[in-house]
Amino acid sequence: MSLAKWTAGLLAGMSMLALAAPADAGEVRVTVAEYSAKTGPYFEAVKKEFEAANPGITIKYEVVPWDVLLQKLTTDITAGTNADLSIIGTRWLIDFVQQDVAEPLDSYIKPEFKDRFIDTFLQPSIMNGHTYGLPIAASARAMYYNKELFEKAGIAKPPATWTELQEDARKIKAVGAFGFGLQGKEIETDVYYYYAMWSQGTEILNKDGTSGLSTPGALEAAKLYKSMIDEGLTEPGVTSNNREDVQNLFKQGKVGMMITAPFLSNQIKEEAPNLKYGVAAIPAGPTGARGTYGVTDSIIMFKNSKNKDEAWKLLDFLFTKEQRAKFTQGEGFLPVNKEEAKMDYYVNNADLAAFTALLPDARFAPVIPGWEEIAQITSDAMQKIYLGGDPEAGLKDAAAKANAVLKK
């Protein structure tokens, strides 16, 4: 959501004469982001187990699709009708902190509780020395490849570089499939571009805090993707395909390679169990640089909650090893709990091991005001380039717009 839409949402909410319904004593309301069909049932099971162990506390969930979650939270916060707890994209957290609606959790977090977490995933929720959220979901990105298409095309192993990927995509195209699945619509369209950009040694933000979109590496990455589209090495209609669309093509055996998250492994096992696939590192650039996208979603407590102690008890319960394992394994995420990460499920899982190996190269979305607007600017620029626009002019314009946001 753009900053303009965020502000408009706030102003719209302020014009409402809605009053928050008084919270019932001992009731904890939670806004839950819907990850899959398993999300709601998991939290309903938590409700039963937690309430049985904590007489006098009741849990009330509202499961909300991701594409409307931010707007809903904006409206609820402004009207004062928000829940006690909510799952959010961690990249939104800085806005909630600046709005002074997120409750610092420091007074609740004891050293032994903090020690449950893998620090890499806890850090994005720490701002100004205070912990405002807990990592409810964590993920990274890696490259999936179709082993049968590789064998048919005479490809012995997954590509180590983008040059090799292009060559392999040509071979896969020659046997009647799409070489490389490239998304160009909706969430993470900008991120799909960063994979190639990071391999050029370019970062989202330059060291001086300006946009990296105007750098030579950013231009080379855009030219790379555009050349693959122009050569017919991707699926047709890239800008009409979101992440799920490309994943579906992969599950159908129509795409040789694509980059996405660990949860695709779970989907393949359930929806396409006969598909032979592998997971490998995202290709490197000319100097060996590479990068994956590290993602966390956080659960936060709102400052206006009337039942903070009860809400914390639920958080403590959610972040036990047992509960983490149920949620993480069901949804196909990476573990954020140290003890959970030692479980055989992760240690002996080749797919997850491939993702875990990439974490040292993980980049997270910058924790800066206006990030959602900058991400949208990047996505819009890439869509125009994918549709035939000039990469240099498109990136120059996008960098100027991003820098204007960064200066606010």
Side-chain angles (χ1 to χ4, degrees):
M1 176 181 290
S2 71
L3 192 60
K5 288 182 180 177
W6 171 274
T7 305
L10 286 176
L11 292 174
M14 288 175 184
S15 69
M16 297 167 60
L17 297 177
L19 297 174
D24 293 334
E27 180 184 78
V28 178
R29 294 168 55 226
V30 189
T31 300
V32 171
E34 185 174 40
Y35 292 97
S36 73
K38 296 181 179 180
T39 307
Y42 165 75
F43 279 99
E44 283 304 317
V46 166
K47 171 183 169 67
K48 291 179 182 177
E49 193 173 341
F50 180 82
E51 289 180 352
N54 294 272
I57 303 178
T58 57
I59 308 299
K60 184 177 180 180
Y61 292 115
E62 183 175 10
V63 180
V64 181
W66 268 107
D67 60 351
V68 297
L69 178 60
L70 183 55
Q71 182 60 58
K72 173 182 170 48
L73 291 175
T74 303
T75 302
D76 287 354
I77 289 166
T78 325
T81 57
N82 57 275
D84 300 280
L85 303 170
S86 181
I87 293 176
I88 67 166
T90 304
R91 61 193 181 278
W92 307 340
L93 185 55
I94 189 168
D95 291 303
F96 289 124
V97 171
Q98 290 184 337
Q99 299 278 341
D100 196 32
V101 296
E103 174 75 9
L105 301 176
D106 308 272
S107 62
Y108 296 99
I109 296 175
K110 306 303 179 191
E112 57 271 21
F113 179 85
K114 187 175 183 181
D115 193 53
R116 295 180 192 176
F117 294 91
I118 296 170
D119 193 56
T120 301
F121 294 128
L122 183 61
Q123 282 300 317
S125 293
I126 300 176
M127 298 178 189
N128 306 318
H130 296 291
T131 303
Y132 287 96
L134 301 173
I136 193 74
S139 185
R141 303 291 182 263
M143 191 179 74
Y144 287 75
Y145 62 98
N146 184 311
K147 290 184 175 181
E148 288 187 351
L149 286 177
F150 268 44
E151 184 177 351
K152 192 174 180 181
I155 304 168
K157 59 182 180 180
T161 66
W162 284 101
T163 300
E164 290 179 9
L165 184 145
Q166 283 179 286
E167 293 170 356
D168 291 345
R170 292 186 186 106
K171 294 175 183 176
I172 293 168
K173 179 186 177 184
V175 298
F178 307 131
F180 181 63
L182 175 61
Q183 74 166 82
K185 180 184 176 185
E186 296 174 2
I187 186 171
E188 292 193 18
T189 291
D190 62 317
V191 175
Y192 222 104
Y193 164 61
Y194 302 146
Y195 304 134
M197 195 176 81
W198 286 325
S199 75
Q200 295 288 334
T202 295
E203 301 297 335
I204 295 172
L205 298 179
N206 297 319
K207 290 182 179 178
D208 63 1
T210 58
S211 170
L213 294 176
S214 61
T215 62
L219 179 58
E220 287 304 310
K223 286 180 176 178
L224 168 70
Y225 280 3
K226 186 174 186 300
S227 70
M228 285 199 282
I229 293 171
D230 292 345
E231 199 178 333
L233 303 182
T234 68
E235 83 282 5
V238 165
T239 57
S240 298
N241 292 320
N242 61 20
R243 182 173 65 189
E244 285 67 34
D245 294 328
V246 181
Q247 288 177 169
N248 286 336
L249 288 172
F250 187 86
K251 285 180 282 191
Q252 293 162 13
K254 296 178 180 178
V255 168
M257 298 169 281
M258 74 164 296
I259 300 170
T260 192
F263 46 68
L264 180 58
S265 294
N266 278 15
Q267 292 179 21
I268 291 171
K269 288 177 176 64
E270 293 179 6
E271 300 169 30
N274 296 322
L275 183 71
K276 293 180 174 61
Y277 72 97
V279 182
I282 293 170
T287 64
R290 75 170 86 240
T292 186
Y293 187 51
V295 183
T296 65
D297 298 325
S298 299
I299 186 165
I300 66 169
M301 183 188 298
F302 286 106
K303 191 164 272 191
N304 65 352
S305 168
K306 298 294 189 288
N307 294 314
K308 291 176 183 174
D309 289 342
E310 292 88 344
W312 176 257
K313 282 187 177 182
L314 177 60
L315 290 178
D316 184 55
F317 181 78
L318 287 173
F319 285 94
T320 58
K321 172 187 170 183
E322 294 74 16
Q323 290 301 324
R324 288 277 74 211
K326 290 177 185 177
F327 178 77
T328 305
Q329 293 173 23
E331 298 288 2
F333 292 126
L334 296 177
V336 302
N337 179 295
K338 291 177 184 175
E339 292 303 312
E340 179 196 1
K342 297 175 184 177
M343 296 172 68
D344 288 346
Y345 178 89
Y346 303 101
V347 175
N348 299 322
N349 188 317
D351 289 357
L352 292 177
F355 284 94
T356 304
L358 289 173
L359 288 177
D361 294 318
R363 273 85 156 176
F364 292 85
V367 183
I368 54 173
W371 169 246
E372 290 295 322
E373 187 173 0
I374 292 170
Q376 190 60 54
I377 288 167
T378 306
S379 294
D380 291 345
M382 296 318 299
Q383 283 192 319
K384 290 176 182 176
I385 292 168
Y386 296 161
L387 288 169
D390 177 60
E392 188 168 8
L395 288 176
K396 184 178 179 181
D397 178 62
K401 291 177 179 175
N403 285 329
V405 176
L406 290 165
K407 289 176 183 177
K408 289 180 183 177

